[in-house]
């Protein structure tokens, strides 16, 4: 049989290229083999598929008929994209266990990775015939896998809902305030609360260069619109706001790392009257140290242009380091980290440097709920005073606390409820504010 012939060839290659564990079937050899099997299983569980694969290949020479070795080899080979070896190992197991539905399901998965839809359908058909309870669940399984491993990947969300903002203009409690040694009235500075509506859409896409390539062309398109009900915001030209973003770049993925560089362009606009444009590169590097622990390095730099205040034009950048942990049976998440932030504006007083710390948890709750509490603390040290009436350099300290509760109705639809509290303490009374923001709506995921 061709399968057995190919498997014997693999064994033969391993025999000449890798050392054996022992030369005879004695207790010491059995202990060594059992120890190696346990080590290979541990490596695979920890996410070291390369190390597990090498060890399973060595074990294959010693105990070619061992079920655990063949199954471990099949799964390790799949993870490191040696799909033909995985097929051989699965088919070897199925010759011994022809009524094991789970093996047919895993084999169908590998065939889809190889782009062999016909063979995958045969394996899936065998799985369904052996496991009636899986028939309904697997009816669209191959279509889902085909979409997942297609060269093109497109995902996105469209959402809409209602909002309440206690301080839409991020203003102080009063128009009357102390700026330096002066007691002054700043017209229209006082905070404005409002109800409103929002709508937005996010689309992410990736195009793999070719099947099994580690390189992708990636990009995203995002848009958000907000309309406020408070007419007093007309005076501030902030009755409504629009935000949009596009980006494109390259991504490289390995078994444990993701490296990505994009060029992005953004625009934020109030009433099509005052606009901030930004464009520049951003980079991401993710290292999966273990299956439950990741390190993420991110950074970016923008060239910003202010349509109504060109003195703020300049370069704005940041770089940060974050750690992400996965825990619990439901694979909850915890992200914690910080970043350095800085700006070099055309007018020196508007330049600043500082840092930001953040932490976020995501709990995957029963009945389709997800709860994501978060906290962020930011320090900004400006290079000059906030106004001409003040002599001290502006210093801001800002807290943001909040959470998001999501209820997933099904794979496509979800309900969202968000709350955020912001508090900005500043050396200038003009920039001191408190804000409560609540929004809720429905989202379509695709």
């Amino acid at each position: 049989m061709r399968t057995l012939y190919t498997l014997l060839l693999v064994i033969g290659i391993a025999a000449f290229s890798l050392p054996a564990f022992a030369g005879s079937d004695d207790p010491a050899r059995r202990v060594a083999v059992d120890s190696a099997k346990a080590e290979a299983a541990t490596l695979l569980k920890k996410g070291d598929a390369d190390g597990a694969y090498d060890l399973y290949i060595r074990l294959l020479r010693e105990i070619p008929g061992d079920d655990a070795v063949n199954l471990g080899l099949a799964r390790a080979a799949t993870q490191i994209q040696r799909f033909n070896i995985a097929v051989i190992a699965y088919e070897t197991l199925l010759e011994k266990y022809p009524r094991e539905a789970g093996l047919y399901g895993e084999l169908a998965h590998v065939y889809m990775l190889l782009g062999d839809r016909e063979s995958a359908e045969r394996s899936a058909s065998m799985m369904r015939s052996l496991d009636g309870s899986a028939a309904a669940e697997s009816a669209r399984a191959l279509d889902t896998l085909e979409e997942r491993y297609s060269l093109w990947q497109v995902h996105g969300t469209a959402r809409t809902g209602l909002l309440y903002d206690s301080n839409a203009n991020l203003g102080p409690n009063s128009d009357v305030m102390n700026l330096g040694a002066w007691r002054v009235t700043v017209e229209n500075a006082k905070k404005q609360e409002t109800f409103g509506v929002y709508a937005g859409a996010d689309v992410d896409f990736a195009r793999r260069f070719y099947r099994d390539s580690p390189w992708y062309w990636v990009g995203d398109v995002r848009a958000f619109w907000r309309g406020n009900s408070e007419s007093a915001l007309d005076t501030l030209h902030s009755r409504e706001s629009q935000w949009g973003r596009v980006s494109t770049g390259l991504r490289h993925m390995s078994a444990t790392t993701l490296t990505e560089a994009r060029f992005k362009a953004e625009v934020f606009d109030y009433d099509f009257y005052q606009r901030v444009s930004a464009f520049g590169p951003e980079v991401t590097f993710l290292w999966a140290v273990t299956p439950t622990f990741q390190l993420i390095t991110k950074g970016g730099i923008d060239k910003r242009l202010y349509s109504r205040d060109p003195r703020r034009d300049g370069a704005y950048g940041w770089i940060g380091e974050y750690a992400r942990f996965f825990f619990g049976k439901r694979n909850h998440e915890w992200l914690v980290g910080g970043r350095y932030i800085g700006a070099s504006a055309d007018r020196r007083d508007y330049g600043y440097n500082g840092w930001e710390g953040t932490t976020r948890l995501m709990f995957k709750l029963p009945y389709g709920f997800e709860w994501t509490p978060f906290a962020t603390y930011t320090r900004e040290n400006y290079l000059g005073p906030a106004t001409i009436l003040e002599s001290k350099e502006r210093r801001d300290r800002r807290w943001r606390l909040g959470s998001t509760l999501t209820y997933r109705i099904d794979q496509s639809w979800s309900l969202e409820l968000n709350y955020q509290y912001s508090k900005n303490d500043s050396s200038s009374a003009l920039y001191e504010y408190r804000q409560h923001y609540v929004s809720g709506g429905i989202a379509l995921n695709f």
Side-chain angles (χ1 to χ4, degrees), residues 28-188:
R29 175 183 180 277
R30 288 195 297 272
V31 170
V33 168
D34 290 342
S35 177
K37 285 170 64 178
E39 182 181 353
T42 299
L43 289 173
L44 187 60
K45 185 176 180 180
K46 289 183 175 180
D48 185 2
D50 287 291
Y53 177 85
D54 291 340
L55 197 47
Y56 279 126
I57 285 290
R58 293 178 62 191
L59 280 162
L60 199 63
R61 175 176 180 260
E62 295 296 316
I63 45 176
D66 188 272
D67 298 338
V69 170
N70 277 285
L71 183 59
L73 175 63
R75 290 172 174 171
T78 300
Q79 292 187 34
I80 64 173
Q81 301 182 1
R82 299 194 179 190
F83 303 127
N84 289 316
I85 299 299
V87 168
I88 292 169
Y90 278 123
E91 289 186 345
T92 300
L93 286 167
L94 285 168
E95 287 182 355
K96 294 179 66 175
Y97 305 101
R99 300 192 61 79
E100 186 60 46
L103 292 176
Y104 283 108
E106 293 186 35
L107 180 57
H109 177 89
V110 177
Y111 276 130
M112 289 302 297
L113 288 167
L114 280 167
D116 187 349
R117 174 71 183 247
E118 183 178 351
S119 297
E121 287 178 342
R122 286 198 298 268
S123 293
S125 177
M126 287 297 297
M127 179 186 67
R128 290 192 293 269
S129 67
L130 292 169
D131 185 0
S133 63
E137 183 179 338
S138 64
R140 296 184 64 253
L142 295 185
D143 290 335
T144 301
L145 285 173
E146 193 166 43
E147 291 175 5
R148 183 184 303 172
Y149 301 120
S150 169
L151 295 182
W152 272 103
Q153 298 290 323
V154 180
H155 305 285
T157 302
R159 53 174 51 89
T160 187
L162 304 175
L163 64 89
Y164 167 75
D165 192 337
S166 70
N167 192 347
N169 59 323
L170 303 181
N173 289 330
S174 173
D175 288 340
V176 181
M177 64 193 74
N178 294 320
L179 296 179
W182 301 85
R183 182 76 170 175
V184 299
T185 299
V186 181
E187 189 176 356
N188 298 319

Side-chain angles (χ1 to χ4, degrees), residues 335-348:
L335 178 77
V336 62
R339 64 176 184 168
Y340 169 83
I341 54 178
S344 176
D346 285 356
R347 178 171 175 176
R348 185 178 183 276

Side-chain angles (χ1 to χ4, degrees), residues 283 285 294-300 317-325 334-342 354-360 375-379:
V283 296
F285 176 73
Q294 298 175 350
L295 290 175
I296 306 168
T297 304
K298 302 187 73 172
W318 62 277
I319 185 168
E321 185 68 25
Y322 304 88
R324 180 158 58 197
F325 303 88
W334 178 34
L335 178 77
V336 62
R339 64 176 184 168
Y340 169 83
I341 54 178
W355 59 273
E356 180 181 272
T358 187
T359 183
R360 186 183 73 233
T376 300
Y377 178 73
T378 306
R379 290 290 301 266

